[in-house]
């Protein structure tokens, strides 16, 4: 007799089993998915049973949870507790799965069953129920959510809410104004006599004359003075209230001249060399008939501010450098190559595409032009005027690069922040427009070549860039100092904040990093290879001092006083893609008929670099590299486990930490405590006072790389770049049998 094998059931129930009271008492309570809200933050809309896509190849690692839109951010709260990570960068204002609304560049909804997609804007309607939501972020993340199990109406409402609140019509609608209004009144008890001293902020804001006075004294600009004719922004709405001008120019002269400059932006002093030469920036003159006369008077005044009254040289950046549209176009191309298009690192086409984007070519052009200005200021002892039509974009870049090359103060953390504040924020760069906060874009290359000269790290620059998308700080929120002052005045009036209060206190700048990161995480800003003054360097096996013998270069000034004619014979610098190869070459031997600038660069590169002196960047194509932590930090294919620059950073940090511990122990041995005949057993500094993020291990234990270290450290690629639904599968993976995902590029262009 045969036994009948029971058949497997063909129906599977997806309903949860009925639970008895006993079972309910045993099982833990269901996790309540609630967001962490800041003061003034409210939930606008939410939807449950949402799937956040993690992997580009499989859905098995996807997360289930709740998607929430507040008046500040888009927040995803996973249903299940994630496994604890050994390392986690903890942001004090944002969670791991949070995106500020101002960081959203595009909000795309998709219905894959109906073949529809739509880019949502503010106050738009959506006539189909979305099955997917793709968020394109300004920090280059691509985050994708699926609504197959969620309520269709709830999914539609949350998509519309995200689109609406990420496109505010007015600046005062940004969350920062509501947040700081609540925060001010809630912290009244923490202030002394109703106010908090500004002394805790080490970075000068340059909104008062004393900040400019200190900068004049620091650089020795004795023939320049702080001018207050723009108080109340009565002359120019885009300049700061206090500016530095030549002593020989009277306030009356400046008021007369301002009428002829674009936006009344009279010449603005940037920096002074110890030899007396000055770096100045100014806008173009609107009236061609008055241009020659005004130029002559301004140039004469700047020449008089020089101890030797040497003739001034001008540099027209609009003529010799790529424009804003060219730079934005190159950035879009390099972004598409790195994060939008399928990443094929092994293909030679990828490197060719990077070159064809012209991004690195433009970086090189700015570095090259800045090096030429350094040559004039340092070697020719000649003042330089940077000219740009509006003096609010290219001048910011070049003036900053020149000062980084010439002044070691700006390579420290505090100095770098003051440079950004002075040359970008107070000089009127249009952050509001360039960051596109309302719906109506590289200083890093020098750090690659001279890592010991900069106190800041690549992580610091990345964090600084990301901070532009958080609308809680006044630094990158406005187009000009006047706009900042006016909006903050209106804000204080609406929130019943006394007008006598310092604006820096109730709407702080980004430089107060303790509002975003813990003291431990802020140590990632510190470069362990940063060389202090008085250190030595090794050149060709010989230890040498950093003090360089200064040689004098004397050149007759002939012809028209323009920077490009003085150096390149009037040729177009940008078109000459190899124009400085002959100057900045590996062969530093003298050549016949070399120009004065070639001689300057050749002799500069023949000596060891003074990390606290002038720095000139190498400009050969092989010396320029892509900013990988910014462009590739979210790309899984580019993430290297226990690889990349972070491995060097980890090893050097531990070495520096060990040296600092030994120094601390030596100090304790030399200074025994009173009353003790023998010193106590020395110890290192407390863990919370250590300068390095990675501390040294036990002397008996060899240092090992932590398992969590990747080339994307301290960022995670998990769930931050999901592009499969938009651009499909690369053909190479398709031929290898990879699963083909539906691409919305093939969907009907139905934008209703």
């Amino acid at each position: 007799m045969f036994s009948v094998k029971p058949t497997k059931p063909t129906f599977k129930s997806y309903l949860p089993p009925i639970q008895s009271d006993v079972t309910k008492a045993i099982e833990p309570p269901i996790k309540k998915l609630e967001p962490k809200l800041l003061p003034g933050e409210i939930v606008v809309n939410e939807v449950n049973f949402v799937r956040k896509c993690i992997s580009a190849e499989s859905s098995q690692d996807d997360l289930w949870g709740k998607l929430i839109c507040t008046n500040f951010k888009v927040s995803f709260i996973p249903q299940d507790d994630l496994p604890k990570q050994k390392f986690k960068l903890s942001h004090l204002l944002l969670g791991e799965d949070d995106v500020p609304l101002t960081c959203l560049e595009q909000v795309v909804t998709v219905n894959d069953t109906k073949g529809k997609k739509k880019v949502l804007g503010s106050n738009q309607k959506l006539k189909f129920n979305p099955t997917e939501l793709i968020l394109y972020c300004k920090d280059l993340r691509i985050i994708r959510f699926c609504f197959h199990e969620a309520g269709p109406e709830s999914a539609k409402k949350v998509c519309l809410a995200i689109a609406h609140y990420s496109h505010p019509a007015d600046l005062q609608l940004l969350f920062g104004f509501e947040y700081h209004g609540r925060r001010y009144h809630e912290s009244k008890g923490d202030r002394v006599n109703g106010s908090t001293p500004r002394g805790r902020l080490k970075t000068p804001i340059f909104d008062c004359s004393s900040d400019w006075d200190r900068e004049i004294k620091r650089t020795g600009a004795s023939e320049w003075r702080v001018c207050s004719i723009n108080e109340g922004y009565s002359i120019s709405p885009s300049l700061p209230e206090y500016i530095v001008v030549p002593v020989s120019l009277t306030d009356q002269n400046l008021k007369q001249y301002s009428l002829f400059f674009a936006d009344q932006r009279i010449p603005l002093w940037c920096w002074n060399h110890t030899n007396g030469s000055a770096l100045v920036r100014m806008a173009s003159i609107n009236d061609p008939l008055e241009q020659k006369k005004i130029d002559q008077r301004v140039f004469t005044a700047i020449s008089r501010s020089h101890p030797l009254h040497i003739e001034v040289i001008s540099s027209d950046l609009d003529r010799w450098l790529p424009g804003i549209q060219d730079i934005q176009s190159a950035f879009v191309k390099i972004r598409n190559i790195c994060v939008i298009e399928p990443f094929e690192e092994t293909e030679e086409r990828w490197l060719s595409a990077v070159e064809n984007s012209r991004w690195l070519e433009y970086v090189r052009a700015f570095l090259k032009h800045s090096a030429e200005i350094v040559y004039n200021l340092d070697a020719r002892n000649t003042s330089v005027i940077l000219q740009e039509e509006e003096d609010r974009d290219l001048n910011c870049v070049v003036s900053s690069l020149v000062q980084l090359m010439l002044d070691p103060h700006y390579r420290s953390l505090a100095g770098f922040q003051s440079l950004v504040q002075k040359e970008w924020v107070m000089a009127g760069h249009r952050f509001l427009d360039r960051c596109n906060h309302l719906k109506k874009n590289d200083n890093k290359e020098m750090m690659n070549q001279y890592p010991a000269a900069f106190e800041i790290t690549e992580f610091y620059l990345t964090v600084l860039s990301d901070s532009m998308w958080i609308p809680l700080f006044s630094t990158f929120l406005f187009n000009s100092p006047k706009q900042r002052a006016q909006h903050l005045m209106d804000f204080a009036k609406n929130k019943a904040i006394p007008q006598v209060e310092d604006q820096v206190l109730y709407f702080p700048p980004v430089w107060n990093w303790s509002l975003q990161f813990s003291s431990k995480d802020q140590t990632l800003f510190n470069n362990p290879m940063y060389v202090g003054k008085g250190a030595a360097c090794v050149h060709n096996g010989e230890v040498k001092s950093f003090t360089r013998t200064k040689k004098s270069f004397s050149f007759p000034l002939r012809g028209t006083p323009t920077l490009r004619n003085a150096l390149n014979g009037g040729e177009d610098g940008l078109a000459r893609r190899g124009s400085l190869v002959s100057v900045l070459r590996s062969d530093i031997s003298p050549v016949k008929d070399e120009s004065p600038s070639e001689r300057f660069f050749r002799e500069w590169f023949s000596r060891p670099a003074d990390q606290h002196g002038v720095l000139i960047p190498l400009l050969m194509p092989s010396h320029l590299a892509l900013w990988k932590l910014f462009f590739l930090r979210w790309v899984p294919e580019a993430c290297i486990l226990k690889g990349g620059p972070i491995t060097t950073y980890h090893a050097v940090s531990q070495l520096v930490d060990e040296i600092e511990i030994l120094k601390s122990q030596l100090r304790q041995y030399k200074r025994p405590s009173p009353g003790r005949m023998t010193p106590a057993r020395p110890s290192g500094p407390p863990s919370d006072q250590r300068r390095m993020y990675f501390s040294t291990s036990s002397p008996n234990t060899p240092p090992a790389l932590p398992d969590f270290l990747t080339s994307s450290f301290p960022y995670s690629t998990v769930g931050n770049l999901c592009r499969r639904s938009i651009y499909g599968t690369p053909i190479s993976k398709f031929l290898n049998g990879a699963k083909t995902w539906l691409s919305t590029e093939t969907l009907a262009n139905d934008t209703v």
Side-chain angles (χ1 to χ4, degrees), residues 223-410:
E223 294 300 315
W224 297 78
R225 66 181 179 91
V226 179
C227 175
S228 60
I229 63 168
N230 200 39
E231 276 188 336
Y233 308 99
S234 57
I235 300 295
S236 173
S238 59
L239 284 179
E241 290 188 279
Y242 304 95
I243 59 176
V244 178
V245 298
V247 170
S248 59
L249 280 180
T250 66
D251 288 0
Q252 188 62 33
N253 292 146
L254 293 169
K255 289 179 181 178
Q256 293 175 354
Y257 300 160
S258 67
L259 300 176
F260 302 102
F261 285 95
D263 202 27
Q264 293 77 53
R265 291 180 65 92
I266 53 182
L268 182 66
W269 173 87
C270 300
W271 181 81
N272 241 64
H273 197 288
T274 53
N275 62 24
S277 60
L279 180 66
V280 184
R281 55 188 290 178
M282 75 179 196
S284 61
I285 297 176
N286 294 325
D287 189 346
L289 299 177
E290 296 288 338
Q291 181 173 0
K292 186 175 181 180
K293 181 174 66 175
I294 300 298
D295 275 350
Q296 183 178 5
R297 293 177 180 176
V298 171
F299 286 18
T300 300
I302 296 175
S303 177
R304 288 178 180 174
S305 69
H306 194 291
L308 302 178
H309 292 199
I310 295 177
E311 188 176 357
V312 177
I313 285 180
S314 66
S315 173
D316 186 353
L317 302 189
D318 288 319
R319 181 182 179 188
W320 302 114
L321 290 175
I324 292 299
Q325 298 298 327
D326 298 323
I327 297 171
Q328 288 177 334
S329 174
F331 178 79
V332 170
K333 291 177 182 177
I334 198 70
R335 180 191 62 185
N336 291 346
I337 294 167
C338 293
V339 298
I340 303 294
E341 299 170 0
F343 188 86
E344 295 288 347
E345 187 180 9
T346 58
E347 293 183 2
E348 295 181 1
R349 290 178 55 190
W350 192 86
L351 295 175
S352 299
V354 170
E355 181 181 1
N356 293 334
S357 71
R358 306 193 72 181
W359 178 256
L360 292 179
E361 178 187 342
Y362 291 163
V363 171
R364 179 178 178 272
F366 277 95
L367 290 171
K368 173 180 178 293
H369 196 86
S370 301
E372 292 167 346
I373 294 171
V374 168
Y375 156 69
N376 277 271
L377 290 165
D378 188 63
R380 298 187 65 189
N381 195 6
T382 303
S383 295
V384 177
I385 299 177
L386 305 177
Q387 289 184 303
E388 184 191 5
E389 183 177 0
E390 295 185 344
D391 181 34
R392 302 177 74 175
D393 290 303
L394 305 183
N395 275 358
C396 299
V397 179
V398 175
S399 64
S400 300
L401 287 173
V402 170
Q403 291 173 75
L404 280 170
M405 294 178 192
L406 286 169
D407 194 337
H409 168 69
Y410 294 125

Side-chain angles (χ1 to χ4, degrees), residues 136 264 602:
Y136 289 88
Q264 293 77 53
R602 176 178 57 78

Side-chain angles (χ1 to χ4, degrees), residues 557-574:
L557 290 175
R558 302 172 183 173
T560 57
T562 62
L563 174 64
R564 186 64 59 167
N565 287 340
L567 292 176
N568 290 338
E571 296 185 36
D572 188 338
L574 187 60

Side-chain angles (χ1 to χ4, degrees), residues 28-266:
I30 298 176
K31 178 183 176 182
K32 194 174 182 180
L33 305 182
E34 296 295 340
K36 294 180 180 179
L37 301 178
L38 298 175
E41 186 178 8
I42 59 173
V43 174
V44 177
N45 228 307
E46 59 185 37
V47 57
N48 285 298
F49 308 112
V50 176
R51 180 162 55 91
K52 181 180 181 181
C53 300
I54 299 299
S55 172
E57 304 296 337
S58 170
S59 61
Q60 64 181 7
D61 296 325
D62 292 353
L63 300 177
W64 289 89
K66 178 190 286 188
L67 183 63
I68 297 173
C69 174
T70 74
N71 55 341
F72 168 49
K73 63 179 181 280
V74 177
S75 183
F76 179 77
I77 307 176
Q79 174 66 54
D80 299 323
D81 292 328
L82 300 177
K84 290 186 178 180
Q85 300 177 2
K86 293 183 179 180
F87 167 80
K88 183 178 180 182
L89 182 65
S90 179
H91 199 287
L92 302 181
L93 300 172
L94 294 165
E96 185 178 358
D97 295 294
D98 293 347
V99 181
L101 291 168
T102 45
C103 187
L104 298 181
E105 186 170 29
Q106 271 195 347
V107 179
V108 180
T109 53
V110 177
N111 186 305
D112 49 10
T113 58
K114 294 185 178 181
K116 295 182 178 181
K117 68 174 181 178
K118 183 172 184 177
V119 179
L120 288 180
S122 182
N123 296 321
Q124 287 188 341
K125 294 182 179 180
L126 187 60
K127 295 185 178 180
F128 60 84
N129 293 326
T131 57
E132 293 182 13
L133 171 68
I134 302 102
L135 302 179
Y136 289 88
C137 305
K138 296 173 184 175
D139 62 3
L140 307 189
R141 282 182 287 177
I142 303 176
I143 304 175
R144 176 173 172 255
F145 301 99
C146 292
F147 302 125
H148 295 98
E149 309 299 328
E153 283 300 318
S154 298
K156 180 189 291 187
K157 288 179 180 179
V158 80
C159 291
L160 291 172
I162 292 172
H164 177 76
Y165 281 87
S166 63
H167 298 71
D170 185 78
L171 189 61
Q172 293 279 346
L173 296 177
L174 291 175
F175 174 68
F177 291 91
E178 180 66 27
Y179 169 72
H180 286 297
R182 295 287 188 92
R183 193 167 172 266
Y184 173 83
H185 290 289
E186 290 177 2
S187 61
K188 272 187 176 180
D190 299 334
R191 295 192 294 275
V192 180
N193 297 325
S195 183
T196 306
R198 190 192 279 204
R200 288 187 299 177
L201 188 65
K202 297 180 180 179
T203 303
I205 303 299
F206 293 101
D207 59 351
C208 56
S209 59
S210 59
D211 286 346
W212 291 104
D213 275 324
R214 280 190 288 270
E215 190 68 5
I216 288 176
K217 292 177 183 178
R218 190 188 70 81
T219 59
S222 58
E223 294 300 315
W224 297 78
R225 66 181 179 91
V226 179
C227 175
S228 60
I229 63 168
N230 200 39
E231 276 188 336
Y233 308 99
S234 57
I235 300 295
S236 173
S238 59
L239 284 179
E241 290 188 279
Y242 304 95
I243 59 176
V244 178
V245 298
V247 170
S248 59
L249 280 180
T250 66
D251 288 0
Q252 188 62 33
N253 292 146
L254 293 169
K255 289 179 181 178
Q256 293 175 354
Y257 300 160
S258 67
L259 300 176
F260 302 102
F261 285 95
D263 202 27
Q264 293 77 53
R265 291 180 65 92
I266 53 182

Side-chain angles (χ1 to χ4, degrees), residues 631-672:
F631 285 106
L632 301 177
R633 56 179 158 163
W634 314 121
V635 182
E637 299 91 334
C639 183
I640 307 171
L641 182 63
K642 295 185 178 182
I646 189 60
T647 57
T648 303
Y649 181 88
H650 174 266
V652 178
S653 295
Q654 288 190 318
L655 180 61
V656 170
D657 187 64
E658 185 174 359
I659 292 173
E660 290 181 348
I661 290 176
L662 291 174
K663 286 182 177 179
S664 177
Q665 292 174 346
L666 284 174
R667 285 193 296 268
Q668 294 178 46
Y669 269 122
K670 291 178 180 179
R671 294 194 300 269

